Amino acid sequence: MRRQASSHVPAAHGVTLLVSRAPRPPPRAWAVTVAAVVTGLVQPVPRSAAQAEQVAWIAVPVRLPS
């Protein structure tokens, strides 16, 4: 399974906040937002991975010359 680049975005934002030494409210708000998003994705991600396995046998469509 390929890992999407978007899965690294929260970590990159967190590192940016730590390196920039932002005051406490932005990192706290960032952490709450990331926790909410991760909580929302806990159930759909494994389900979509299982569905992807179900259709993995389908070949790439062939384009006929026009």
Side-chain angles (χ1 to χ4, degrees), residues 6-33:
S6 61
S7 64
H8 301 293
V9 171
H13 283 288
V15 169
T16 302
L17 286 172
L18 290 174
V19 170
S20 68
R21 298 180 190 266
R24 272 302 202 207
R28 186 174 303 133
W30 173 84
V32 169
T33 303

Side-chain angles (χ1 to χ4, degrees), residues 1-64:
M1 182 189 320
R2 291 185 326 176
R3 182 174 273 183
Q4 298 289 333
S6 61
S7 64
H8 301 293
V9 171
H13 283 288
V15 169
T16 302
L17 286 172
L18 290 174
V19 170
S20 68
R21 298 180 190 266
R24 272 302 202 207
R28 186 174 303 133
W30 173 84
V32 169
T33 303
V34 168
V37 169
V38 168
T39 301
L41 291 176
V42 164
Q43 201 172 23
V45 168
R47 190 175 300 153
S48 67
Q51 291 173 351
E53 291 174 7
Q54 292 172 357
V55 296
W57 62 271
I58 300 174
V60 177
V62 176
R63 297 199 179 243
L64 299 174

